[in-house]
């Protein structure tokens, strides 16, 4: 098969989908339903839910979903309190039994309909990473106001100019990774917060990992509150400058 190397065997591939949640009680059942809809019978997969003690009862809903879909499909790895996204991934990946890991938001901004395309792209190019991109092909952003679009575009643009990573969407987090690659990347990343997603790609380039892109349309969250505030933006710029100075 095209793009295959010795040792690749699609028949044993399994996909572990990490869903970090904080106050996603309305969104979680829908995203799980959609993932099952698009992947059931297509590839072997498991969904790992990492809930950080959401006060809205997300974990209770996750337990109900586990009863419904079974313990081999839905794996629960809750933590007691909100400890942040970066460490949620590290915590979740420890329990992943797949050789591929998919990271996505649980707030319906990332639509599971794009996962089969990401898998196909990965297989065709034998990529180490496939990233969803809002900024090429049919990709796009829906529901953001002008300010939010400007921040996202701006962050991508400045990063392109400073670090030249050769990937069109750096701040997005809808990605497919070879598990071993994701583990190495997480270990080598130093930043916290929004800049983390970008650092992953910048480091991936340093290590010469191959990256494929799939256009996605990103939809702003309908339920729940946005957490992007002024402090996140300042953190992002600081993190970016740090990477610029050190890579
Ligand atoms: N486990 C865990 N999940 C988190 C934490 N912070 C955010 N999340 C989840 O991570 C995903 C992305 O977070 P969001 O708050 O949607 O971040 P965003 O998409 O940049 O911003 P908005 O959608 O505008 O709020 C969502 O599924 C959140 O529920 C955290 O500290 N711990
Ligand atoms: Mg979101």
């Amino acid at each position: 098969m095209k793009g295959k190397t010795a040792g690749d065997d699609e028949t044993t591939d399994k996909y572990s989908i990490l869903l970090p949640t904080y106050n996603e009680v309305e969104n979680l059942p829908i995203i799980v339903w959609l993932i099952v809809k698009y992947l059931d019978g297509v590839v072997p997969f498991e969904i790992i839910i990492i809930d950080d003690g959401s006060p809205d009862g997300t974990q209770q809903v996750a337990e109900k979903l586990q009863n419904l879909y079974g313990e081999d499909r839905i794996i629960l790895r809750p933590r007691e309190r909100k400890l942040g996204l970066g460490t949620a991934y590290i915590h979740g990946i420890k329990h992943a039994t797949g050789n591929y890991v998919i990271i996505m938001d649980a707030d319906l901004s990332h639509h599971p309909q794009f996962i089969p395309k990401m898998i196909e792209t990965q297989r065709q190019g034998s990529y180490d990473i496939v990233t969803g991109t809002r900024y090429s092909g049919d990709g796009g952003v829906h529901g953001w106001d002008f300010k939010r679009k400007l921040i996202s575009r701006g962050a991508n643009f400045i990063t392109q100019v400073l670090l030249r990573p050769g990937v069109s969407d750096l701040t997005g987090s809808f990605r497919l990774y070879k598990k071993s690659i994701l583990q190495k990347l997480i270990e080598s990343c130093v930043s916290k917060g929004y800049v983390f997603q970008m650092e992953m790609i910048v480091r991936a380039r340093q290590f010469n990992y191959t990256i494929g892109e799939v256009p996605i349309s990103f939809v702003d969250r309908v339920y729940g509150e946005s957490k992007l505030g002024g402090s996140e933006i300042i953190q992002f710029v600081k993190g970016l400058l740090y990477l610029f100075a050190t890579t």
Side-chain angles (χ1 to χ4, degrees), residues 56-165:
D56 72 348
T58 302
Q59 178 60 16
Q60 285 72 17
V61 167
E63 284 162 14
K64 285 190 184 142
L65 290 166
Q66 189 184 46
N67 289 336
L68 197 64
Y69 289 102
E71 286 183 11
D72 50 338
R73 268 275 147 98
I74 309 264
I75 293 153
L76 306 180
R77 293 291 174 249
R79 300 188 297 178
E80 272 187 12
R81 58 196 175 83
K82 193 172 192 306
L83 295 166
L85 260 184
T87 59
Y89 296 142
I90 298 171
H91 182 72
I93 202 181
K94 278 187 204 147
H95 307 280
T97 64
N99 52 333
Y100 289 94
V101 176
I102 293 165
I103 286 182
M104 64 193 297
D105 293 353
D107 62 356
L108 298 175
S109 287
H110 297 153
H111 199 296
Q113 68 175 327
F114 298 110
I115 297 175
K117 180 74 193 158
M118 291 166 93
I119 292 172
E120 191 196 316
T121 300
Q122 191 283 323
R123 286 180 171 176
Q124 279 170 356
S126 289
Y127 292 113
D128 295 318
I129 304 166
V130 171
T131 180
T133 176
R134 300 163 288 185
Y135 300 129
S136 86
D138 298 326
V141 172
H142 303 277
W144 273 2
D145 59 15
F146 180 71
K147 183 182 153 214
R148 184 94 199 240
K149 278 186 185 160
L150 195 70
I151 291 169
S152 177
R153 280 277 187 184
N156 272 286
F157 178 74
I158 298 166
T159 312
Q160 298 290 353
V161 171
L162 291 183
L163 303 175
R164 304 197 177 278

Side-chain angles (χ1 to χ4, degrees), residues 211-226:
I211 306 173
E213 291 193 295
V214 168
I216 58 156
S217 49
F218 176 99
V219 182
D220 194 20
R221 61 161 67 247
V222 179
Y223 299 107
E225 269 170 46
S226 173

Side-chain angles (χ1 to χ4, degrees), residues 17-21 28 32 47-51 58-59 62 65 74-78:
I17 302 168
L18 302 189
L19 284 184
T21 57
L28 188 61
V32 168
I47 300 171
I48 302 176
I49 301 171
I50 307 113
D51 184 64
T58 302
Q59 178 60 16
L65 290 166
I74 309 264
I75 293 153
L76 306 180
R77 293 291 174 249

